[in-house]
Amino acid sequence: MGASHPAPTMGLMLKEIPDPPARHTAFGSFRKRIVVWFLALVTLTLVVLILTTRTVLLSGVTDGANEDVTQETEEFTTFAAEGRDPETSEPFETPERLLQVYLARQIPGPDEALVGVVDGQLMQMANSPRPLQAGDPLVAAALENRAPSGVFDHPDLGPVHWATVSVEGTDTALLVARFTDSGRAGVSANLRAISIISLGALLLAAGLAWVVAGRLLDPVRQVRTAAAGLDSRRHGQRVPVPEHGDADTIDLARTFNTLLERIDTADDAYQGILARLEVQLRSWLDRIRQRAADTGDATLRAEAEEGARVLATVTALTSLTVGSRPSDAAVTVAAESVGRDVEKQLIAAGLPVALVSNVHDATPVTLNLDAVTLAMGEAARFCAGLSTPVELGVEIKDDALSLWARERGVGCDSGRLNQLLDWRPDASHPEGQQAGLALLRAVADAHGGSAWAQSTRGLGTVIGLDLPVLTTGEVDS
């Protein structure tokens, strides 16, 4: 028979205790989250800045093109109305001569094209930086359009702003074209430079955010480091308050110590309640035993046995409180002996148990053996209420000592199992199950482990403890 738990279809966990590495990971993760959120904000700001800059620069290119086209058309209109032929000093006799003289006097920019249109033929300077051909889509679109100006979306050069000015009473016109590809290329180059600078700024911001987050979280780190050295099984421990530390660290340490003081106060009150309850139970049990001895009443003897079990549970709970955990409360024994000791004591208590799986090495473990035995007794008692015999198992898994009690063949539904796991008093089951569960939880918490229960109707139930109690110490004699 293997040592592994049966594969259940329904399981419930009482409580999980996180270990210190998880807290360290959470602390580091919090610092990373601060950096990530800061970088996200900076990145969003840079993206908005780059997009806004792009919009402004492209708008400037468009406005510049419109201004150039407007200026050229106004100059031509003025020249056509007031200009004189330089050879005759008279008004131009033909539109062709007008265009010839006007074009000869113009010096178009590198992104401009000035073209005269006479009877469908183009007239332009030989050294024009942007020569146009009669079959160009731009020329055709401008001449066929009834509007005097517009924007042509060239497939290769992008938007081209154009305008036509007709000579009154003729088919002659001046075509002005302003290309924006160079301007848009300049905008793209500027944006690339800005993007590279922004990337450098983002890397600088990442380093700055990491340093600032570390400084902000340094008080938390210092207190966490100090708290990690505290022993949860000792009473009255405090985090050292630095004498010359920064104000945040001092305030956080004092706040943490205030919380520890409140915990100690609550633990002292809990311990006092349990101590008074133990005294009352002992007094009541002595009276019941005396009456049972005097009368020989079987009912009184049964009550005395139940009372003894409850008293043992309360005594174990008292030993598990923080304020009542002296160094001799826990013992260091070989793992292979735990199962045999638990089985021996449970059999002596009248429980039908059998150890079917045990650890076969002498790995030392430190635990409160009496409390663990009582807790496993409660688990075995619940299983025995379903079917007998009850199997006991002890194994080492995931660096923890796992103890379990199991019954085969009956199992229980989720409602019955929830009754076991619910610590609150249940009027329909007053026979002491809640006290047993309180002990299971107390034992698990005191050892930094977990208590669990699994069940499958028709197959069985298993209840156990996983206790991280492996140690490198010497076994007690």
Side-chain angles (χ1 to χ4, degrees):
M1 181 178 299
S4 61
H5 303 323
T9 59
M10 185 272 294
L12 296 172
M13 182 69 70
L14 278 177
K15 188 174 183 181
E16 290 291 348
I17 305 297
D19 52 12
R23 293 197 303 268
H24 178 75
T25 302
F27 176 81
S29 176
F30 184 58
R31 185 180 186 182
K32 292 176 183 177
R33 285 198 300 270
I34 293 177
V35 174
V36 168
W37 279 107
F38 182 79
L39 290 183
L41 179 60
V42 174
T43 301
L44 179 62
T45 303
L46 292 177
V47 169
V48 172
L49 178 62
I50 291 174
L51 292 179
T52 303
T53 303
R54 178 180 181 273
T55 301
V56 172
L57 293 179
L58 289 179
S59 177
V61 172
T62 300
D63 293 342
N66 288 332
E67 291 175 359
D68 290 345
V69 171
T70 300
Q71 179 182 352
E72 291 294 341
T73 56
E74 290 177 350
E75 289 180 359
F76 181 72
T77 300
T78 302
F79 184 79
E82 302 176 358
R84 293 292 186 269
D85 191 329
E87 295 181 355
T88 63
S89 298
E90 298 292 335
F92 292 101
E93 296 180 358
T94 63
E96 292 85 351
R97 179 61 179 168
L98 172 65
L99 289 174
Q100 182 182 10
V101 174
Y102 180 79
L103 293 176
R105 293 182 175 183
Q106 298 300 310
I107 302 177
D111 295 323
E112 290 182 342
L114 299 176
V115 179
V117 182
V118 181
D119 296 330
Q121 301 297 318
L122 301 185
M123 180 188 300
Q124 57 187 325
M125 295 179 295
N127 60 348
S128 175
R130 295 277 186 157
L132 298 178
Q133 304 298 326
D136 283 351
L138 169 61
V139 176
L143 297 179
E144 294 174 359
N145 199 318
R146 293 184 178 181
S149 62
V151 179
F152 176 74
D153 191 8
H154 197 284
D156 298 326
L157 303 177
V160 180
H161 296 250
W162 59 268
T164 57
V165 183
S166 300
V167 179
E168 185 177 356
T170 67
D171 293 334
T172 305
L174 175 69
L175 172 61
V176 181
R178 174 63 160 80
F179 296 87
T180 60
D181 54 332
S182 298
R184 298 175 72 89
V187 170
S188 298
N190 291 334
L191 291 178
R192 283 194 296 270
I194 294 175
S195 299
I196 294 175
I197 295 174
S198 299
L199 181 60
L202 190 62
L203 295 177
L204 180 61
L208 181 63
W210 182 261
V211 174
V212 171
R215 293 288 296 174
L216 291 176
L217 295 177
D218 188 61
V220 179
R221 181 189 60 80
Q222 293 185 36
V223 174
R224 178 188 60 82
T225 302
L230 301 181
D231 186 354
S232 63
R233 293 170 296 180
R234 294 179 59 190
H235 193 276
Q237 295 189 101
R238 298 293 182 267
V239 170
V241 178
E243 295 182 1
H244 304 290
D246 60 90
D248 292 333
T249 303
I250 294 175
D251 290 343
L252 185 59
R254 289 174 177 172
T255 302
F256 191 82
N257 286 338
T258 300
L259 178 61
L260 291 179
E261 291 173 2
R262 293 178 179 177
I263 294 175
D264 287 344
T265 300
D267 186 75
D268 291 339
Y270 175 63
Q271 179 188 0
I273 292 172
L274 288 178
R276 289 175 175 83
L277 180 60
E278 182 179 359
V279 172
Q280 293 177 2
L281 282 175
R282 288 186 185 278
S283 176
W284 173 82
L285 185 58
D286 290 341
R287 293 195 302 270
I288 292 296
R289 284 174 174 170
Q290 184 62 45
R291 290 175 56 188
D294 294 341
T295 61
D297 191 339
T299 302
L300 291 177
R301 286 198 300 270
E303 290 184 1
E305 293 176 358
E306 179 68 16
R309 185 174 67 84
V310 174
L311 178 61
T313 299
V314 173
T315 302
L317 287 173
T318 303
S319 69
L320 291 172
T321 59
V322 174
S324 302
R325 293 180 199 163
S327 58
D328 57 354
V331 295
T332 301
V333 297
E336 60 184 356
S337 67
V338 173
R340 294 194 298 267
D341 291 342
V342 171
E343 178 191 33
K344 180 180 178 181
Q345 295 190 43
L346 296 190
I347 291 176
L351 293 173
V353 298
L355 184 65
V356 299
S357 177
N358 194 22
V359 178
H360 297 295
D361 61 61
T363 301
V365 294
T366 300
L367 73 170
N368 188 327
L369 187 57
D370 292 337
V372 170
T373 301
L374 286 173
M376 293 309 300
E378 295 296 335
R381 185 171 286 103
F382 179 84
C383 291
L386 298 175
S387 68
T388 55
V390 177
E391 300 174 347
L392 292 179
V394 180
E395 60 185 83
I396 295 178
K397 63 174 185 178
D398 300 331
D399 297 327
L401 186 69
S402 179
L403 302 94
W404 46 267
R406 176 173 58 192
E407 62 86 16
R408 293 180 178 271
V410 176
C412 63
D413 56 24
S414 58
R416 181 73 185 278
L417 194 59
N418 283 330
Q419 284 182 353
L420 175 67
L421 297 176
D422 190 356
W423 64 269
R424 292 170 296 183
D426 186 354
S428 63
H429 293 82
E431 62 271 19
Q433 293 288 359
Q434 286 74 26
L437 176 58
L439 182 59
L440 281 170
R441 298 184 66 165
V443 169
D445 292 347
H447 292 84
S450 61
W452 48 268
Q454 299 170 337
S455 182
T456 302
R457 178 167 289 281
L459 293 180
T461 301
V462 57
I463 304 172
L465 295 169
D466 288 340
L467 308 177
V469 294
L470 304 187
T471 183
T472 57
E474 296 292 334
V475 174
D476 296 339
S477 57

